[in-house]
Structures are given as C-alpha cells and as structure tokens.
Amino acid sequence: MNDFYIEEKVTLKKLSEIIKINEIEFVRKTFLKGISLKKNEILNFETAKTLCKDLFNINILKKNSFEFETKLFNNNFYISIIGNVNSGKTTLLDFIFKTNISSKEFGKITQFVTVFELLFYNKKIFFFDLPGHKLFNKIIKTYVNISTIIFLIVSIDNDINKEYENIINIIEKNDINLIICINKIDKKTIEKIYLKNLKTFKISSKNGYGVKNLICQSLESFKFFKDFNNLYDGIIVNSYIKNGIFYTTLFLFKNTLKKNDFIYFSNEKIQLKNLYVHNTEKDKIISPCIFKTKSIIFPPDFFFGKNKNTLNKNSNNIYKENYFHFNNYYVKSSNHTIALSILDYYQSLKSNDKIKMSVSLGDFNETDLNYCINFKCKIILISLNLNYSILKKINENNLFYKKFNLISDLIDYFVSLYKLDKIELITSKIIVKNTFPCGKNKKIAGCCVYEGCLNLNNTIKIFKELKLVFQGKINSIRIKEKIVDKVEAGNECGILIKNFNDIEIGMKIISINYVNK
C-alpha cells in the first residue's frame, strides 16, 4: 500500500491528483457512500485520510509529519546533498525543513551553498545543499571531503543504469559513504532498481515519500569516521546582501569564538566584530555552530582557523598572488560560492594571458569605482545592483560595465569573447515544422534542415523567439521510419530529443560541435 503526503487542508481536486485517482471517480464513490462533494471542496486532513483509506485503501500522511527529537547527542553528522542541475536537491531540503528556497532561486538553479541544522532521533545533523553545475566542482569537492555521508540525488528522468559507472568513479576517487537517492518517483512508476554494492532509496522530494526512511537508515548504516576537525576550525558557507547590508554565513567546526576575536585565512586575518545565531547577537559561540556576521568583508577563501600557524600549515594555498592582480577585469559579487568558482575557473584556464581578473566580495562602492577609474578596469557584477550615482560616474568615465545573474552566463561571455579553451562550431540550422506524439509524454520534432549537416552526436541548442530554452543531446533521428546518423541540408527528418519534450512548431534548432582552439 502506497503512502501519500498532504497538507493540513487540501481540495478534492488536488487530493485526486496526489493519489492519482480520477476526480470524477472520486466524487462518484463518495456519492455512493452518501457523501456529496464538489471538486473544489476543501477537505481537512482527517476527512481526506478516512475517505482514501475506506474508498481506495490508500494511506494518507501529513506532509509535516516529521518528529524531531530535541535532546542533543555527542555525535554529529555532516551530509552533503549533490546531484545534477534540476535533480531536486533543494526541493528535498525544502520538504524536510518546510522552506521554499527552490522557488526563489534565479533560473531555478542553486548558485550558493546553504547549510541546515536539525536534531533527529538524538543526532545532530548538518545538511549542505550544494550547487549542481559543473562550474562549482571545487566547491562540491570541498564539502564532500568534510562530510560524513553523501546523498547523491539522481532524477528518475535520467537513465539510472548509465549513471552507475559515474557513481562508481565518484566512490573510487573519494573515500566517502555514498547513498543513491532515486528522486521524483511521484512522476512515474519504475521497476525495482538494483545498483550493485550501493545503498539505494526511492524518494520524492515533492511529496516526501521515503524521505524519513532515508534519513533514519542512513544514520544507522554508517559510523562517524571523518576527522577533518583537526585541520581547520571552520568554513565560509555563503554570503549575500540584504537591505544594503553584507551578510556572511560561517560554520564553526570546533573550538569557541568570542566577539572581536580574529580568524585567519590563507593570506589575511579578519576581526569578528559581531556574531549572530538565529538572528540573535551573541558574545560567544560554541562549536558546532552555524553563525552569521554583518558588514564584514571576507576574502574569497574556504577555510579559517583561530590559530594562524595551524591554518598556514594545512592550507593548500589554492589561489596564487597573480590571481588577485587588478588588471583588465574587476569582478564583484555578493555570493561567496560564485566568487570562489570564478577564481577556480580563471585558474583552470589553459591559457589565461588574455584575461587578468580580480574577484572580490561585497557591494560595489566608491572605493571600487576609484580603483577601476585609475586602472581602467572593466567592471563585471554578478547578482549586484548599482546605485544611480555610481552608475552615472561609470558612464561619465566611459568605463565598461556588465551585469550577470548566473555564473554560467559570465563564463559563456568570456568563452565567446575570447574563444577560451574550445570553439563552438555551428554544424547545421534547423526549424521545427511539426510535432508528433511518441510513447508516454514524449514528442518527435518534425524538422527541416535548411543549412549544414545534422549529426546524431552533435550537441543541440533549441531557441524559442530567440531565447535559448534547452541545450542537450539527440536521442535518435529518423527519415521515413529509417534510423539515420546524419541529415544533409534540404532534407526533412524526425528528431527525438533527450530530456526535452516541450518542443513546439516554429522553434529553431542549431547543432554544434566543440573543437579545440
């Protein structure tokens, strides 16, 4: 018998959708029981639970039915949530903590680290919600290395068997306790999944199916074996600007901190003039603890320590001096995760002689402006807004200025402008002339190739009214029921696209190859 989760109150129509019963059938069966209901009728939890049990033998649970213990135990668990973009990582934590972060993320993409804390069956657990985009690989690897358990979220929309080899590689390269979470099972029924020697759970981050069982069994399965606390005292989690004030969230692994204490990074020390826990100012905090500071600008670095010598001994000195060289581009962001990832990208370029870049945190102020004027820097802002007076001075001094909301857009800008690493080569241009159903929830795009040659192995970009709506791969190409590998200009064909079913007549498609410079 399946379990379904609902809120305290739900409409009959919504309840029918959740339990996958036709609403007309639901109304008919209740009528035969002598109960008259309308599809927009609001049902409380107990009524919905009784009706579903009596009429359809379906078990209904409250969506907020987690019962967390409040007694603190000695052992702490650190769980990193990893997975591809749109796999449902943030939605899972939204369900557990009753938040709504996923709906507020720009472009529905996680671009910063968030840490959550809870007490669950006498265990204190810290969850790290990590970005999914490959541009954040260094961020992800850092948190994986300090975590007790890793939840790898895999969407049911993906080919699970093809993911298996990648998962094995992750385990072999990292000494980690990995649990595979097959997510979005509320969307469709799947056969039993068996991944050899891997712990696998089927869950739905949307309605909460299997989530409590996942957490309980995870904590019972593994012992707390990571001993990273002897290396560092803490890590910067994220940063942001709110109402004109710059906030930074930090995570203290060990030791205690007092107001006005200094903490040490790779190349500088910062004084903690204020400490906030749950928005309450504190004079002292004890580890493990998530805390915030305000109006303090930290360097784009990962770890910090109370003792300067200890930190320097264990620091990897990831960022060399020349990466802070102010020449050409002056990049500023309020997001600590984005700043680190840009530095990592800049460092990883095979040839960066065309770009000199400085990356810093905080709001763009008069000091930043004066520096850019003196050194003729090009200004790049990520998720920041300029006030009118500074924008006016930028225009008066003829300074280059550009703003981005997504780090991927900034990287694409640099790649396209400077042809970094690889060149994107357009191999064909296509227009969608018709669409045809193909199996459950799939569509074939009836297309005409009007320029170049389309190849099955090409990456494709799909545009709707000049806006990019999808980039991915082709599943298959057919010409008059015959499967082919390529289509020359002037021919029509049917294209089945991987992981994209919202194809529409009139959309334009280009196929591309990436070639080395």
Side-chain angles (χ1 to χ4, degrees), residues 10 39 101 123 136 152 168 184 209 229 246 305 363 386 497 505:
V10 64
K39 67 178 182 179
I101 295 174
K123 298 180 188 295
F136 297 101
L152 175 59
I168 294 300
K184 303 184 182 181
Y209 174 83
N229 287 358
F246 185 75
D363 211 349
L386 290 176
I497 303 162
I505 296 173

Side-chain angles (χ1 to χ4, degrees), residues 413-424:
Y413 170 76
F414 281 134
V415 170
S416 63
L417 188 62
Y418 295 103
K419 296 181 174 58
L420 301 172
D421 291 340
K422 291 185 177 182
I423 299 173
E424 190 179 88

Side-chain angles (χ1 to χ4, degrees), residues 60-61 72 129 132 217 252 256 307 313 359-360 377 387 467 508:
I60 296 294
L61 301 173
L72 178 62
D129 181 21
Q217 292 199 29
L252 184 66
T256 61
N307 185 295
K313 179 180 178 181
V359 181
S360 58
C377 295
N387 64 47
K467 181 181 179 181
K508 293 185 178 180

Side-chain angles (χ1 to χ4, degrees), residues 4-16:
F4 294 91
Y5 291 82
I6 65 171
E7 304 286 354
E8 180 64 37
K9 293 184 179 181
V10 64
T11 64
L12 187 147
K13 182 178 180 180
K14 182 66 175 178
L15 179 60
S16 300

